[in-house]
Amino acid sequence: MSTPYGSDRRPGPEGEQEQPIRFTDRRRIDPLTGEVRTPEEGGTQQGAPAPGATPRPQPEPEIELDDPRIADLEKQLEERTNDLQRVQAEYANYRRRVDRDREATLVSAKVSFVSDLLTVLDDIARAEQHGDLTGPFKSVADKVAGVVAGLGLESFGKDGELFDPSLHEAVQHEPAEAPGPTVTVLTAVLRQGYKIADRVLRPAMVTVADRPDTAPDTRAETTEHTSES
């Protein structure tokens, strides 16, 4: 079966005719007039952007200030802020507690180690008093003194210092001969005292005497020895 020229239909199988073929002209410029076509004239669907055109931004939905969702969000934000501040405070307390425990453990280890060397330090001090600290023995003694000093060991107890019962152990007490206010000072140090930080390893064994509090030489001597310690 032949199809007439210019017909917009073509025969289908078994003699059935297909739907007509339609063409849509999407050119933006009219080839006859040379003018720019509108989307409707160019064959585009209504509401769809033309080819190459920039889509228009959709307006954001407005939120009213009295919207209950805003109050709910503010409440959640306040709760989260309070939780964060509480966690930060707990972490700061934890850090301080850990640092304090670490420092206490370190001091305890130093005290345990240095306490075993106190008798050695006493022997070194007696050898120095008798003039026997010479030669290789002096070199070893200096190294031991350097090690314990690096661990923070401090000695205390000098003649003329004010008596402190928390630091000194008095084995002899000489009362003042003149009446009036007096101060108790060290007159002799029989055994040196030692401490690390604020922990006393061993009190100093001393002899003390009461002296008039108004004596200028006693005040000057006490102040000088106190500043040195």
Side-chain angles (χ1 to χ4, degrees), residues 139-191:
S139 178
V140 174
D142 292 341
K143 292 180 180 180
V144 173
V147 170
V148 295
L151 295 175
L153 182 67
E154 300 179 6
S155 61
F156 58 88
K158 294 182 180 180
D159 297 348
E161 287 183 359
L162 290 176
F163 176 73
D164 186 350
S166 63
L167 300 176
H168 307 130
E169 179 183 353
V171 295
Q172 184 178 351
H173 184 197
E174 299 177 359
E177 298 178 356
T182 59
V183 291
T184 304
V185 296
L186 310 183
T187 56
V189 178
L190 307 179
R191 188 185 65 183

Side-chain angles (χ1 to χ4, degrees), residues 77-90:
L77 177 60
E78 182 179 0
E79 292 177 354
R80 300 298 184 274
T81 303
N82 293 335
D83 293 342
L84 179 59
Q85 292 176 349
R86 181 171 59 256
V87 171
Q88 289 179 340
E90 292 176 355

Side-chain angles (χ1 to χ4, degrees), residues 55 70 117 133 163 206 216 221-222:
I70 297 180
L117 297 178
L133 194 61
F163 176 73
V206 298
E221 185 179 2
T222 302

Side-chain angles (χ1 to χ4, degrees), residues 82-139:
N82 293 335
D83 293 342
L84 179 59
Q85 292 176 349
R86 181 171 59 256
V87 171
Q88 289 179 340
E90 292 176 355
Y91 180 70
N93 293 334
Y94 169 76
R95 285 287 303 273
R96 286 193 293 267
R97 184 170 61 255
V98 169
D99 293 340
R100 184 172 60 251
D101 295 343
R102 184 186 297 111
E103 183 66 23
T105 302
L106 181 60
V107 172
S108 298
K110 292 179 179 180
V111 169
S112 178
F113 174 74
V114 175
S115 296
D116 297 335
L117 297 178
L118 294 184
T119 55
V120 177
L121 297 178
D122 291 339
D123 294 339
I124 293 175
R126 283 191 291 268
E128 185 178 10
Q129 292 176 358
H130 292 84
D132 297 334
L133 194 61
T134 58
F137 183 42
K138 184 178 186 308
S139 178

Side-chain angles (χ1 to χ4, degrees), residues 158 161 220-229:
K158 294 182 180 180
E161 287 183 359
E221 185 179 2
T222 302
T223 304
E224 180 181 357
H225 284 283
T226 304
S227 61
E228 291 177 359
S229 62

